[in-house]
Amino acid sequence: MAAAIGSSIGKSFARLESRDKVTGRADYTHHLRLPGMLYGKIFRSTLPHARIKRVDTSAASALEGVYQVVTIDDIRKVIPNPYYGPAFHDQPILADGKVRFAGEPVAVVLAFDKRIAEEALGLIEVEYEELPGVFDEVEAMTSTTLVHDELKPAATFPDLAHLKGRKATNVALDYKLRRGDTERAFAEADHVFEHTFRAQQVMHTPMEPFVSIADFKDGQLTLHTASQGPSFVRIEIARLLGLPENRVRVKVPFLGGGFGGKLYIKLEALVTALSVIVRRPVKIALTMEEQFFMVTRHPCTFTIKSGVTKDGKITARHCEVVWNGGAYADIGPRVTQKGGFTSAGPYDIENVTINSYAVYTNRPPCGALRGFGAPQTAWAYECHTDLIAQALGIDKIEFRRKNMLREGRPQASGTPLRDAEVERAMDQVLDRLQWNKPLDRGTGRIRRGRGIAIGFKGITAPTTSVAIVNMYGDGSCGLYIGTVDMGQGSDTVMAQIAGEVLNIDPTTIRVIHPDTDVTPYDMGTLGSRSTFHMGNAVRAAADDAKSKIAALARELGLPEGSNVPLSELLRRRYGMQAGNIIGTGSFIPDYEKPDTETGQTTKGTPFWGVGAAGAEVEIDTETGQLTILKLINVADVGTALNPMAVRQQLSGSGIMQLGHTITENMVFRDGQLTNGSLADYKIPSLLDMPVEYINEHVPNAYDKAGPFGAKGTGESTSIALSPAIGNAVADAIGVQIMDLPITAESIYRALQKANGTPLAED
Amino acid sequence: MKIAPPTVRPPALCMKRRWASLTLTAWGVCSLHIVRGPRASAKGCDLASFELLEPRSLGEAFALLDSDDPAVRPFGGGTALMLMMKAQIFKPVRLVSLRLLGGPLHGIELAADKSAFRIGAMTTFAELEHSPDIRAHLPVVTQTMLTLANVRVRNVATIGGNLAHGDPHLDLPPVWTALDAKVRIASKAGERTIPVQELFAGYYETTLKHGEIITGIDVPVRPKWTSHYAKVTTRAQHDWPALGLAVSAQFDGKRINDIRVVLSAAVDRPSRMKGAEAVLRGAEIDDAVLSRAADAALGEVHIESDLRGSADYKQHLLRVHLGRAVKALSPRGDQATIQRA
Ligand SMILES: Cc1cc2nc3c(=O)[nH]c(=O)nc-3n(C[C@H](O)[C@H](O)[C@H](O)COP(=O)(O)OP(=O)(O)OC[C@H]3O[C@@H](n4cnc5c(N)ncnc54)[C@H](O)[C@@H]3O)c2cc1C
């Protein structure tokens, strides 16, 4: 069904904030300075796992200009139980007797001059008793080295309650999905294939590093913070302080990127504790280098096994997915569940077993990062798909078609595929790649190849968004939402939705940025949920306003359908330019909690995120050098509410995933990060762009539950991109790379190994 | 002289920090500009305060630099220093800018007989890049500029600071070495001139003594020579090279009369590979000769694993790119390219 196109929907409005951004007028937390404000600088642990025997802050405190040096002992005086976290209350505001990763905050120096604070860090002395560390996720599953003594699930996630008090394990969560009889199906299969794939630890790298300011006075806290989830921050900080929600105010201006990193609590608990201690505003702004110690993306080891019939029907699949969550759970358990949920891929398989584990290690914590686990799992299942087709001598595309999950068929969890254009997305990629035309495979040391991949993701559920539309006395409109515009263009798209319903020019609507005293609840700007959830809430709020305007017209005795402007209606009603029309709307999707033992549910996701990708690559087999000649991303976005914004999302997410595929890698030695700066941790630059880079959405797709048929699209191109490149590389050189990132050296090593002349292990 | 390398420091590295406030030095007001004091730095800047002095004569500069304190240093373009300062690796007490020292520290001068260049230490990369004389006589330098940093950095980075920094990953030092250039060094004791490769003593280590500054570089124009620089990167295309390879040769028909082969980045300082040169000198290029040259090269350098590649892989890259660089030499004239892996 085609989208209903009105005056605002489906048009490429320029971002409402573009002018402010390019002229340097846009507001960011980094710009904010409050009177009497102190700066905090963080002293970090140098060891990945150790007991703290002594923290000596005396010399630092004595340095002229230092206001105070704070440790966990000071924090405990104002917050008796100083542990936080969205899934587990496992993270201390500052290290509490123990450090669990190299880079963990141990103490904070406060000073009016941040250079003095920085200077004083060098005077802090900590004595440690070093403990053995565990860094690899697979080792941590069975290691006797324990990162935490006991699991401490948070009350906010009732489905984790059974984990409370569990001891002697690094496994924070084990997600299970069972469908059919996998063992029997394997026994009956003609062929069984098993492969293990790995994805590396990477970082979000927002250009605006983390920054938060807390201002506690008169029993009331105001937080100015670069956060993707102001409502969550308020709830969690109120819990820590034992205050009602209305005593905590969280304000968020624009963000310079978030990508999932700025969710839940990051610096907020720390600056809050500091401000409560000193009764002054306190600001902490991380450096680019410190971001590596805040939150990162889960490394993942995924062993995938499939049973297949002679003619290429997949009858059984077993997924063993181990997520390296680092030292603190953050939202890792949810990544483990959601990533696990779709880890069997967009295929129609009768018998599926999935085990997905969140594992603690002594690495920097891992949390949500664009794709929420889907990129790591798709890397495995789509490379696996090609390997099976190759081994069986079946065409890779036909093999996918034969097993593809189609509209209405139940996915592994039992949730049917609905409004998900997997096959059309694949076909569009094939068309743009000119798959039917033969490929010039190169000569001599140059080899070319091409590959495709498809993937999908489930969306965190159930989550709530609330919106307010406020029509003022002159008929102009303010939209009050908790969605954070962090570069994705949400202000513009939400204004389009409101404008469409209210029949006003979206560029005239003012979008009020998150301020929990003013804007209503929203679960967070995360997991491609805003367009769908907040979009529905905004639409409902605008509908509500519209019906209130109609009611006012009726009250004033106007005939049905009269076109007297709102300003005039309000003037007639109140005798002057006065009054408001306030429309409210909220949205929570239809959801059914999965069975804890089998993971089965008929409503496991509000919508399906769908992406397909194709790549054509060239490899210099003498050195392993990889050139991406063509990269194609196609996503099912439902209705493209703003086609330009959609294309930018697809392109941006694709470039980010390209970095996670070929250049980015946090390298550790003995638990110490060895490349924690942008000189040594390489994000792709313009020079690394594919020669030809195409991003498109599937035309005329429509999600019946979305606002005007739309679904979220912030992550669609993060899913299938890595395996498309991996499969293209394999097509070029005849060897499958199993571990990300795919580098010149890893390609050369794979080639040499296949030639029987392996390079020495590094 | 040893400079703290800007490698990654462990979190919260404890290092003694020096806290300097502005001291007004009694050099005549007209000859000395105090550019930045603590007030300026209070504007939200993360750097501790220090003094930045701008003497107008070499004599003044020597006097200001006359200190055993390693926190007193000359300041060229500041691009390397500022990075180290922001990373808290280097905490200056006094920086002596060479910006206003006229004459010998500035300018690109081609001798009347066109036999050599005399280039001032404060010459910026951008000046090199856009100089028609350099383009005509040392095209490999012009081309190297395009593989290097970005416009903003090239506009301020100086060739003196580039040499004095001692970072083995820098692209120009191997090129100067292949071109047989010499560095001019001055101190209050006088001037000395040494071949570029003798400037480097090790990883971020130079043979400059305290109080010495580089005043310029002398580069011979060798009309019959042709040069090539390959910046081999292995991760993102714009990255520090895994290896830098500068080759300069003089041909007699197809035969190599003379050749200089210099390796950087994979080793602790730009190093001539004399064994490889010996194999190539007098030879006509074919795969067997190149293979022997690579064997010789691998025998004379020590390559260690780092973030840009394992030792084994980089050795392999040296073999491949040495061959490619020499092959690229004769017919096409000078070249500098970013070679991914
Ligand atoms: C973003 C960025 C990208 C870069 N990319 C590249 C690249 O791709 N390739 C590359 O080769 N380089 C690159 N560089 C490094 C750059 O080449 C060096 O930083 C620059 O050459 C240093 O020159 P400067 O004049 O700025 O030195 P400064 O920072 O002023 O000084 C460096 C050192 O030399 C000393 N010094 C300065 N002048 C003299 C002198 N005349 N005599 C004695 N000592 C002196 C200083 O005391 C200091 O120790 C990059 C740098 C940046 C910031």
Side-chain angles (χ1 to χ4, degrees), chain A residues 202-365:
Chain A
V202 295
M203 203 254 281
H204 306 70
T205 330
M207 293 324 281
E208 175 205 37
F210 294 86
V211 53
S212 301
I213 302 172
D215 186 6
F216 185 75
K217 54 176 179 251
D218 309 327
Q220 185 141 338
L221 178 79
T222 304
L223 271 166
H224 305 266
T225 182
S227 169
Q228 293 175 240
S231 298
F232 180 89
V233 169
R234 171 154 79 170
I235 291 170
E236 183 72 346
I237 295 295
R239 180 188 70 80
L240 281 168
L241 295 180
L243 290 176
E245 279 194 58
N246 70 1
R247 294 276 151 176
V248 177
R249 178 181 195 182
V250 182
K251 296 182 75 171
V252 179
F254 283 116
L255 255 60
F259 313 114
K262 294 172 179 168
L263 283 166
Y264 311 107
I265 298 295
K266 290 297 173 298
L267 291 171
E268 292 87 357
L270 180 56
V271 289
T272 295
L274 295 168
S275 181
V276 172
I277 290 169
V278 298
R279 305 279 158 151
R280 281 178 173 279
V282 173
K283 178 175 190 172
I284 295 187
L286 296 193
T287 62
M288 189 56 85
E289 290 77 11
E290 282 180 291
Q291 295 206 88
F292 289 95
F293 305 119
M294 194 77 201
V295 67
T296 64
R297 190 191 77 173
H298 288 74
C300 174
T301 301
F302 182 174
T303 300
I304 181 166
K305 183 170 137 185
S306 298
V308 189
T309 63
K310 288 197 285 291
D311 58 345
K313 179 82 191 119
I314 306 171
T315 53
R317 181 157 281 182
H318 184 116
C319 303
E320 211 54 29
V321 202
V322 187
W323 305 88
N324 191 329
Y328 298 104
D330 197 86
I331 200 64
R334 280 284 183 259
V335 174
T336 304
Q337 290 168 323
K338 281 293 155 195
F341 170 61
T342 52
S343 61
Y347 296 107
D348 197 338
I349 307 172
E350 285 296 325
N351 306 286
V352 179
T353 297
I354 297 170
N355 293 320
S356 182
Y357 305 97
V359 178
Y360 284 121
T361 64
N362 295 112
R363 291 204 196 201

Side-chain angles (χ1 to χ4, degrees), chain A residues 43-46 102-103 114-115 118-119 122 124 293 445 620 622-623 625-626 663 667 674-676 679-680 682-683 687-688 744-745 748-749 759-760 762, chain B residues 8 11-12 14-15 17-19 41-42 44-49 88 91 235-239 305 307-310 312-313 316-317 320-321 324 340-341:
Chain A
F43 179 91
R44 295 173 182 277
S45 82
T46 47
K114 57 189 161 190
R115 295 164 301 154
E118 176 85 40
E119 168 100 2
I124 295 176
F293 305 119
R445 59 185 166 86
D620 178 341
E622 211 169 43
T623 60
Q625 178 194 315
L626 166 68
T663 64
V667 180
T674 62
N675 62 337
D680 286 321
K682 300 305 292 184
I683 59 174
L687 297 174
D688 300 299
E745 176 161 357
Y748 182 70
R749 278 181 176 275
L759 283 190
D762 190 29
Chain B
V8 191
C14 296
M15 56 160 49
R17 303 243 158 77
R18 220 169 272 96
W19 176 249
S41 62
C45 173
D46 283 321
L47 302 175
S49 55
Q88 313 277 336
K91 289 243 160 178
R235 306 181 301 178
Q237 188 154 333
H238 188 90
D239 190 2
S305 299
L307 290 163
R308 287 161 207 94
S310 67
D312 268 23
Y313 181 60
H316 171 72
L317 289 181
V320 171
H321 285 287
R324 289 186 189 177
R340 286 206 35 227

Side-chain angles (χ1 to χ4, degrees), chain A residues 113-119, chain B residues 17-22 36-42 44-52 82 85-86 88 90-95:
Chain A
D113 184 332
K114 57 189 161 190
R115 295 164 301 154
I116 293 182
E118 176 85 40
E119 168 100 2
Chain B
R17 303 243 158 77
R18 220 169 272 96
W19 176 249
S21 57
L22 182 79
R36 189 168 152 276
R39 206 163 290 141
S41 62
C45 173
D46 283 321
L47 302 175
S49 55
F50 54 85
E51 57 178 11
L52 175 55
M82 290 294 284
M85 285 155 62
K86 284 196 214 159
Q88 313 277 336
F90 175 60
K91 289 243 160 178
V93 163
R94 176 190 295 166
L95 294 176

Side-chain angles (χ1 to χ4, degrees), chain B residues 73-74 76-81 98 125 149 158 161-162 164 170-171 214 231:
Chain B
R73 296 202 57 79
T79 59
L81 281 171
L98 310 180
F125 288 2
T158 65
N162 182 261
L170 298 178
D171 295 303
I214 294 175
K231 172 176 189 162

Side-chain angles (χ1 to χ4, degrees), chain B:
Chain B
M1 183 165 295
K2 191 159 175 94
I3 303 136
T7 49
V8 191
R9 60 185 175 130
L13 184 78
C14 296
M15 56 160 49
K16 273 268 169 274
R17 303 243 158 77
R18 220 169 272 96
W19 176 249
S21 57
L22 182 79
T23 50
L24 283 170
T25 323
W27 292 94
V29 185
C30 55
S31 72
L32 200 68
H33 290 211
I34 291 154
V35 175
R36 189 168 152 276
R39 206 163 290 141
S41 62
K43 276 200 196 151
C45 173
D46 283 321
L47 302 175
S49 55
F50 54 85
E51 57 178 11
L52 175 55
L53 306 172
E54 297 194 322
R56 301 213 168 175
S57 75
L58 267 176
E60 283 177 2
F62 293 141
L64 290 172
L65 286 166
D66 191 5
S67 162
D68 288 337
D69 188 344
V72 174
R73 296 202 57 79
F75 188 90
T79 59
L81 281 171
M82 290 294 284
L83 281 186
M84 294 195 293
M85 285 155 62
K86 284 196 214 159
Q88 313 277 336
I89 290 167
F90 175 60
K91 289 243 160 178
V93 163
R94 176 190 295 166
L95 294 176
V96 180
S97 168
L98 310 180
R99 193 169 70 99
L100 300 182
L101 300 179
L105 268 78
H106 284 274
I108 300 169
E109 217 179 282
L110 180 59
D113 64 357
K114 299 199 168 25
S115 64
F117 277 96
R118 216 176 143 83
I119 307 172
M122 287 301 287
T123 303
T124 64
F125 288 2
E127 286 169 318
L128 272 187
E129 180 183 348
H130 300 298
S131 156
D133 281 341
I134 296 283
R135 187 182 303 272
H137 299 287
L138 301 174
V140 70
V141 173
T142 314
Q143 289 155 7
T144 298
M145 285 303 136
L146 302 175
T147 74
L148 194 157
N150 55 52
V151 173
R152 287 181 305 153
V153 170
R154 293 202 296 270
N155 278 341
V156 283
T158 65
I159 62 166
N162 182 261
L163 286 165
H165 191 40
D167 177 345
H169 300 98
L170 298 178
D171 295 303
L172 266 185
V175 173
W176 294 137
T177 307
L179 293 175
D180 200 11
K182 295 190 170 57
V183 197
R184 274 179 285 117
I185 298 166
S187 67
K188 57 176 193 221
E191 216 186 67
R192 63 188 179 109
T193 301
I194 57 169
V196 168
Q197 73 254 33
E198 286 175 23
L199 180 68
F200 303 108
Y203 193 65
Y204 284 91
E205 218 174 318
T206 66
T207 54
L208 286 178
K209 299 190 214 44
H210 274 302
E212 281 191 327
I213 62 174
I214 294 175
T215 52
I217 186 165
D218 295 333
V219 195
V221 173
R222 303 170 305 170
K224 296 216 175 71
W225 288 65
T226 156
S227 304
H228 180 97
Y229 174 66
K231 172 176 189 162
V232 183
T233 61
T234 51
R235 306 181 301 178
Q237 188 154 333
H238 188 90
D239 190 2
W240 293 113
L243 46 109
L245 202 54
V247 186
S248 194
Q250 189 206 40
F251 282 86
D252 179 2
K254 287 189 158 185
R255 207 176 62 89
I256 296 176
N257 241 348
D258 198 0
I259 188 162
R260 295 168 72 92
V261 182
V262 186
L263 176 67
S264 62
V267 281
D268 69 348
R269 73 192 95 158
S271 309
R272 266 181 79 179
M273 297 189 292
K274 295 195 174 168
E277 290 175 2
V279 172
L280 293 166
R281 201 170 285 121
E284 282 190 20
I285 301 165
D286 61 29
D287 286 344
V289 167
L290 290 175
S291 175
R292 275 192 290 123
D295 289 340
L298 289 170
E300 63 190 315
V301 293
H302 177 70
I303 293 178
E304 275 184 34
S305 299
D306 66 11
L307 290 163
R308 287 161 207 94
S310 67
D312 268 23
Y313 181 60
K314 286 193 290 185
Q315 280 164 4
H316 171 72
L317 289 181
L318 172 55
R319 175 175 289 282
V320 171
H321 285 287
L322 177 62
R324 289 186 189 177
V326 173
K327 275 187 187 165
L329 270 180
S330 60
R332 282 190 262 158
D334 282 12
Q335 270 194 40
T337 50
I338 296 186
Q339 304 278 335
R340 286 206 35 227

